[in-house]
Amino acid sequence: MDEITQSVREDGETLPLIITPKNGRNSVDFLEGWISKNASYLKEKIREHGAVLFRGFEIDKPHDFERIVLRYQPELSTEYRGTSPRSLQPGTNAVFSASELPYFYPLGQHIEMSFLPAPPKEIFFCCLIPPSSVGGETTLCDFAKVYRDLDPDVRRRFEEKGVMYVRNHTRLDRLLTIDPTMMKGWEATFGSSDKAFVENECRKHNVDFHWSGPKNDNIKMIHREAAIQHHPETNVPVWFNHIQVFNMQMVSSYMRHHCARAKSLFFYFAYVCLLLLTWLGGFIKPHDLGFTTLYGDGTVVPKEDVKHIDDAIRKNLVFNRWQKGDAIMIDNFRISHGRQPFRGKRKVVVSWSKPFLKPKAFSDCC
């Protein structure tokens, strides 16, 4: 390991482990070779720390990022069933824009595609243009620690009931909506305009679906999942659901805290707008929102429990300021990620591994 330096943050936080080059060995060719030779060691460090950040290497293009990720994980997935708009990067086979949601909109902490029966086991990000303003971090949070810090009664209710996901999609993307979770149409979500294909995908993932609307081209998808998972390798219990993402109470909390950091009139204005959206969203039935997370029995999670979850996440939240060329590899069965609002330019790209079946199904616990 004489060719690289390993360290943790100056404040002692061990998420992520930081790897930097020695003696000018910062080329993509060098990093590609190092990862190829040390893939097993790297896997061990990702499990130990939750994530490994490569910093100081000359990663300038999406293709450079794809080269190094493929040396660690030769099988990347191009299947995406999330709700954030994203697009394949030119010159790559499996590198996408991280999210194309409006820059002022905060993305809550989440384990990628945790609402699916088989999410990716690992996820990879790279910063090609770092944000110039306050914010824009891809925040990390250890969801094993979040599970640990939750009140036992809150944990018990989720363990006993599980979670219900309700997703509503129109046919086409919607740029103007009071519900930001409804921006992405089902054609973009499934990568197909064929209803039969969409229906088969729903059946494959045990998702109930119903078509509605004047042209019968709006789809409502409902399915249930366990709220807690045990890590497939360490067996550590992990908070593993999407309630903290598609909940307007959470979104306004993220923006309120960002306003305190940024001290910007622009973000205060955006916060007021989000509060208005939250108020308007209160008039929409939960089952009609773009994406709603409920208890597995269909009942609404109390606001005080949502706030408690938010507090547990915020207690363990890690802010890592992006630098140009940063590439991070994350254990997606333990470490969540989110996005802080920002202004100006910022470009972060993402890849993820093949789907991995969750250890626990809804029927195992609920």
Side-chain angles (χ1 to χ4, degrees):
M1 299 296 167
D2 294 337
E3 304 149 311
I4 53 99
T5 297
Q6 302 179 67
S7 62
V8 296
R9 289 166 34 129
E10 291 183 358
D11 60 4
E13 170 63 55
T14 60
L15 173 66
L17 176 69
I18 303 169
I19 292 180
T20 54
K22 274 185 180 179
N23 304 319
R25 293 172 174 166
N26 60 348
S27 69
V28 174
D29 288 341
F30 167 78
L31 182 56
E32 192 178 5
W34 186 90
I35 292 174
S36 182
K37 289 186 298 183
N38 297 281
S40 296
Y41 176 79
L42 182 55
K43 180 181 179 67
E44 175 187 323
K45 289 301 176 183
I46 291 173
R47 294 296 168 263
E48 178 184 346
H49 291 264
V52 170
L53 170 66
F54 294 96
R55 170 163 287 172
F57 295 93
E58 296 179 334
I59 305 172
D60 295 319
K61 301 181 290 296
H63 177 63
D64 295 336
F65 172 58
E66 187 172 54
R67 283 172 57 191
I68 67 169
V69 172
L70 286 172
R71 286 298 181 179
Y72 172 74
Q73 176 51 262
E75 295 187 2
L76 298 176
S77 176
T78 58
E79 183 178 280
Y80 177 62
R81 293 291 181 262
T83 58
S84 292
R86 57 181 53 173
S87 55
L88 182 66
Q89 297 297 289
T92 71
N93 295 312
V95 177
F96 295 81
S97 53
S99 176
E100 295 172 7
L101 285 173
Y103 59 88
F104 57 84
Y105 190 81
L107 300 184
Q109 292 301 126
H110 60 286
I111 285 175
E112 189 67 29
M113 299 184 236
S114 72
F115 51 85
L116 296 181
K121 197 172 183 181
E122 292 165 323
I123 189 166
F124 316 97
F125 291 97
C126 179
C127 180
L128 301 177
I129 302 176
S132 56
S133 70
V134 174
E137 297 94 343
T138 297
T139 44
L140 304 178
C141 184
D142 188 336
F143 269 20
K145 292 181 178 179
V146 170
Y147 173 88
R148 177 200 65 193
D149 291 340
L150 288 177
D151 182 276
D153 287 338
V154 174
R155 287 203 308 253
R156 176 182 52 77
R157 285 192 285 274
F158 278 97
E159 287 172 335
E160 291 178 352
K161 297 182 178 183
V163 291
M164 173 189 287
Y165 295 112
V166 182
R167 305 177 67 182
N168 288 284
H169 291 282
T170 56
R171 184 174 198 118
L172 301 175
D173 295 355
R174 298 170 62 181
L175 296 179
L176 296 176
T177 172
I178 66 168
D179 179 7
T181 67
M182 201 179 281
M183 294 180 67
K184 192 173 180 181
W186 59 263
E187 289 184 340
T189 298
F190 288 92
S192 174
S193 59
D194 183 353
K195 284 187 177 181
F197 173 81
V198 172
E199 292 174 359
N200 286 335
E201 286 292 299
C202 287
R203 294 188 187 100
K204 184 170 71 175
H205 293 101
N206 297 317
V207 175
D208 296 329
F209 61 90
H210 172 70
W211 296 99
S212 64
K215 298 182 180 180
N216 206 37
D217 58 359
N218 297 337
I219 187 170
K220 181 189 293 289
M221 298 176 287
I222 300 176
H223 72 288
R224 295 170 174 82
E225 295 286 339
I228 312 296
Q229 293 291 329
H230 284 75
H231 193 280
E233 295 176 7
T234 66
N235 204 39
V236 172
V238 178
W239 180 250
F240 209 95
N241 63 78
H242 252 55
I243 187 173
Q244 61 280 342
V245 182
F246 297 108
N247 181 295
M248 290 305 288
Q249 181 182 341
M250 283 283 201
V251 172
S252 59
S253 172
Y254 287 127
M255 181 58 84
R256 182 177 71 254
H257 284 91
H258 180 70
C259 286
R261 295 176 64 218
K263 296 181 174 61
S264 163
L265 288 177
F266 172 84
F267 286 113
Y268 278 113
F269 174 74
Y271 173 51
V272 171
C273 291
L274 281 173
L275 287 179
L276 178 60
L277 292 179
T278 303
W279 179 75
L280 291 172
F283 293 95
I284 303 175
K285 295 179 180 179
H287 279 252
D288 293 332
L289 289 167
F291 194 125
T292 305
T293 309
L294 308 166
Y295 281 130
D297 60 5
T299 56
V300 176
V301 179
K303 289 185 178 180
E304 56 269 23
D305 286 0
V306 174
K307 183 181 184 305
H308 176 64
I309 295 165
D310 185 26
D311 291 342
I313 291 173
R314 194 152 298 283
K315 176 183 176 182
N316 295 286
L317 201 57
V318 177
F319 291 79
N320 280 303
R321 188 75 182 164
W322 280 120
Q323 296 182 20
K324 180 176 171 54
D326 279 357
I328 190 166
M329 299 181 172
I330 301 172
D331 179 353
N332 193 53
F333 265 70
R334 174 185 149 202
I335 305 299
S336 71
H337 62 276
R339 187 194 74 182
Q340 295 296 304
F342 64 97
R343 297 187 72 182
K345 292 183 178 181
R346 174 190 186 270
K347 184 173 184 179
V348 175
V349 293
V350 61
S351 291
W352 55 91
S353 59
K354 293 285 187 179
F356 185 86
L357 189 65
K358 291 176 183 175
K360 181 183 286 188
F362 177 76
S363 58
D364 297 329
C365 65
C366 311

